[in-house]
Amino acid sequence: MEIILKQDVENLGFKDDLITVKNGFGRNYLIPQGFAVLATSSVKKMLAETLKQRAYKEEKLIKDATEIADAIKALDIKITAKTADNTKLFGSVNNQDVADAIAAAGHVIDKKYIKVEGGTIKRIGKYNATIRLHRAVVVELPIEIVAEAK
């Protein structure tokens, strides 16, 4: 079944992508939830026209995202957290904590575009976070979790 995504769907595709999925997944989940529409010939023609009109705007968005990516790569993110024995954290550090640290450095990024390797961090050390600023611009950001001074 061919469908056109109306919004970004994790591990499936981005908005306005034409993809093929199994019939049940499209009919029972994607279309009723409003994530996609059935790709008929008329809808495909409208999509092609929309993509053609959006091409110029897309170049500007990629350029802006690249500038933000360069600024983020230069950041040195250190997150302090309470620890039990100077290695294990009380609680965990997740993408919201990384988003807060980046916001404190002056760049506001929504937490849903940040992925921390392993999902959550439960020990001090150095880790990587992947930030998707645009479908074509993805940044690897090294972060360091340090113990809070007692």
Side-chain angles (χ1 to χ4, degrees), residues 60-74:
K60 184 179 182 326
L61 289 173
I62 291 173
K63 182 179 167 234
D64 293 343
T66 306
E67 290 174 3
I68 294 171
D70 292 338
I72 288 175
K73 284 180 188 176

Side-chain angles (χ1 to χ4, degrees), residues 137-150:
V137 181
V138 178
V139 179
E140 285 286 327
L141 176 67
I143 57 174
E144 185 176 0
I145 311 301
V146 294
E148 188 176 78
K150 293 182 179 181

Side-chain angles (χ1 to χ4, degrees), residues 67-119:
E67 290 174 3
I68 294 171
D70 292 338
I72 288 175
K73 284 180 188 176
L75 293 178
D76 183 29
I77 301 294
K78 290 187 180 185
I79 299 173
T80 58
K82 292 184 180 181
T83 59
D85 56 1
N86 285 338
T87 59
K88 193 173 180 182
L89 301 179
F90 284 122
S92 63
V93 174
N94 57 22
N95 57 350
Q96 178 63 52
D97 299 317
V98 175
D100 293 341
I102 293 171
H107 301 282
V108 178
I109 296 177
D110 194 357
K111 70 177 183 175
K112 68 182 178 182
Y113 300 123
I114 300 172
K115 280 192 177 181
V116 176
E117 64 181 34

Side-chain angles (χ1 to χ4, degrees), residues 120-133:
T120 58
I121 300 170
K122 298 190 180 212
R123 296 195 175 273
I124 63 171
K126 294 184 179 188
Y127 298 91
N128 285 324
T130 305
I131 302 169
R132 182 174 55 88
L133 299 169

